[in-house]
Amino acid sequence: MNRLNVAVIFGGCSSEYEVSLESAYSVITNLDRNKYRPLPVGITRSGDWFCFFGSIDALRSDGWHYGENAVPAAISPDRSKKSLLVYEESGVKEIPIDAIFPVLHGKNGEDGTVQALAELADIPLIGCGTLSSALCMDKDKAHRLVAAEGISVPLSAVFSDTQADRSRLLSFAVKTGFPLFVKPLRSGSSCGVSKVNNERELIPAAEKALHYDHRMIAEEAVEGNEVGCAVISCGERLMIGGPDLIELSGDFFDYSEKYTPKTSRIICPAGISDERSREIRETALRIFRILGCGVFARVDMFLTPEGKIYFNEVNTIPGFTPHSRFPAMLKTEGISFGKMLDMIISGVVR
């Protein structure tokens, strides 16, 4: 049986660089070697691309891009070749690629940039396409599209300059009341996100968010718990993993808690009624379709004490670390990590 060459792209110019390395390590070590040959393609923090031929353990220590095992590489733009160009000292070597699997989080990887590169080269893409990736990364546009289809979203407003927009930001805070959340418009893993409890904290939170993106979004705090669903597209059929629920004892599910939980607890399955679970699944499926997602994604929502569901965001490349929610959701359906990877790859490349 011929194995498929899968270019697993990791790293990147993103605040979520370290998470990408952990996710890529998990993906590469769990790929079925009888079916797939992983080609680790790393992007350094400064944006240099390398094909990595060394021990995969080097990803976890971030030592992968040092030494002779990291060879400069690029995706060939030639649609007829579908290959990785590896720039060896003796010349350019072409390695055929059957699929590109971006395991990148945040900007410059989850926002449609790398997806566009795969589509331009006409190489099958494991994940959401260019448009859906860009839409889901932009919290304002994603909320507007979902709200237009009748799904509840938190009240929000977009700002680009803390000084010029100061009065408008304060007016928004008065309208929603405290606490509220301030977030970079396009970022993930809660990087740059603040829970604002009073007017004094508002401007510093806005400046923090603008460090991660040139625009920020202020959003009302929805009372309740965050819930999520894993969605996988299996050909014409969509499969939904069991919902999970985040139980917090701190302010919110921030970057630290997502990857090294200390004060929060992820309950999976969510421990809610069958009726409520069904509503969450159906809403996740609707959101997945509204935003044009494909192959796989994790849809995050809020569940209020009254049972109302609000849309939060879609992670088009959710984490694949040992603590990640996406594989845990599918595990409740009896799907192992390796089987999950096989499902999403075989759904694209047959």
Side-chain angles (χ1 to χ4, degrees):
M1 177 179 179
N2 292 329
R3 294 190 298 168
L4 298 176
N5 283 350
V6 179
V8 180
I9 305 181
F10 61 88
C13 309
S14 165
S15 56
E16 299 170 72
Y17 174 88
E18 293 91 348
V19 181
S20 174
L21 299 189
E22 288 288 339
S23 289
Y25 176 85
S26 296
V27 167
I28 292 168
T29 54
N30 282 280
L31 279 175
D32 184 347
R33 292 301 196 278
N34 292 317
K35 292 184 176 181
Y36 309 109
R37 178 192 176 204
L39 299 174
V41 179
I43 307 172
T44 66
R45 293 177 188 273
S46 58
D48 298 319
W49 287 57
F50 296 96
C51 187
F52 179 63
F53 295 99
S55 169
I56 201 64
D57 290 336
L59 269 68
R60 310 193 80 177
S61 63
D62 194 22
W64 65 272
H65 50 93
Y66 300 106
E68 60 184 15
N69 287 321
V71 183
I75 303 297
S76 172
D78 189 334
R79 293 170 68 89
S80 67
K81 291 185 180 295
K82 296 181 175 56
S83 63
L84 181 71
L85 305 178
V86 182
Y87 298 94
E88 299 178 337
E89 290 185 2
S90 58
V92 179
K93 178 181 178 180
E94 292 188 20
I95 302 177
I97 297 177
D98 296 297
I100 289 177
F101 191 165
V103 187
L104 299 155
H105 305 306
K107 293 174 67 176
N108 302 307
E110 196 175 351
D111 55 3
T113 50
V114 171
Q115 291 75 12
L117 179 61
E119 292 179 8
L120 184 67
D122 195 31
I123 300 173
L125 174 68
I126 310 301
C128 292
T130 302
L131 179 59
S132 59
S133 296
L135 285 174
C136 291
M137 183 59 99
D138 188 310
K139 297 176 178 64
D140 180 56
K141 289 180 173 58
H143 279 201
R144 289 175 182 271
L145 285 169
V146 170
E149 295 297 322
I151 295 172
S152 298
V153 301
L155 183 65
S156 64
V158 176
F159 306 89
S160 58
D161 187 296
T162 54
Q163 297 306 315
D165 291 339
R166 187 184 184 98
S167 61
R168 190 165 66 90
L169 182 56
L170 291 172
S171 296
F172 177 81
V174 169
K175 182 178 181 181
T176 61
F178 294 101
L180 57 85
F181 285 93
V182 171
K183 310 174 181 181
L185 187 65
R186 297 172 302 164
S187 185
S189 290
S190 297
C191 293
V193 176
S194 301
K195 185 177 183 179
V196 178
N197 296 295
N198 52 59
E199 184 177 323
R200 177 176 51 82
E201 298 174 355
L202 192 57
I203 299 303
E207 291 173 345
K208 177 182 175 181
L210 290 171
H211 175 74
Y212 289 87
D213 192 23
H214 66 280
R215 290 185 296 164
M216 50 146 285
I217 186 168
E219 194 175 279
E220 72 168 319
V222 176
E223 184 182 0
N225 295 97
E226 183 174 330
V227 294
C229 273
V231 183
I232 292 181
S233 175
C234 306
E236 298 297 318
R237 184 172 65 90
L238 288 175
M239 181 191 166
I240 308 175
D244 71 357
L245 181 145
I246 299 171
E247 193 175 75
L248 296 176
S249 58
D251 275 347
F252 68 100
F253 201 45
D254 62 11
Y255 182 93
S256 176
E257 286 296 314
K258 285 182 176 180
Y259 299 108
T260 52
K262 296 182 180 68
T263 63
S264 60
R265 189 162 68 106
I266 301 174
I267 303 171
C268 187
I272 55 180
S273 69
D274 291 344
E275 179 183 359
R276 196 68 69 218
S277 177
R278 184 173 62 255
E279 290 176 3
I280 290 170
R281 288 172 185 253
E282 290 172 352
T283 304
L285 189 57
R286 286 182 62 198
I287 292 168
F288 188 89
R289 286 171 168 157
I290 290 167
L291 295 174
C293 298
V295 188
F296 69 95
R298 193 189 75 227
V299 182
D300 294 340
M301 296 155 281
F302 297 113
L303 178 64
T304 71
E306 297 76 30
K308 188 172 182 179
I309 298 169
Y310 283 78
F311 170 53
N312 179 21
E313 63 180 359
V314 173
N315 280 267
T316 54
I317 307 180
F320 289 119
T321 74
H323 300 294
S324 294
R325 299 165 62 194
F326 188 87
M329 293 171 184
L330 291 165
K331 190 175 180 180
T332 65
E333 305 295 315
I335 299 172
S336 67
F337 203 116
K339 176 62 176 176
M340 172 194 72
L341 295 174
D342 187 42
M343 288 174 64
I344 60 180
I345 296 173
S346 62
V348 174
V349 187
R350 295 179 177 84

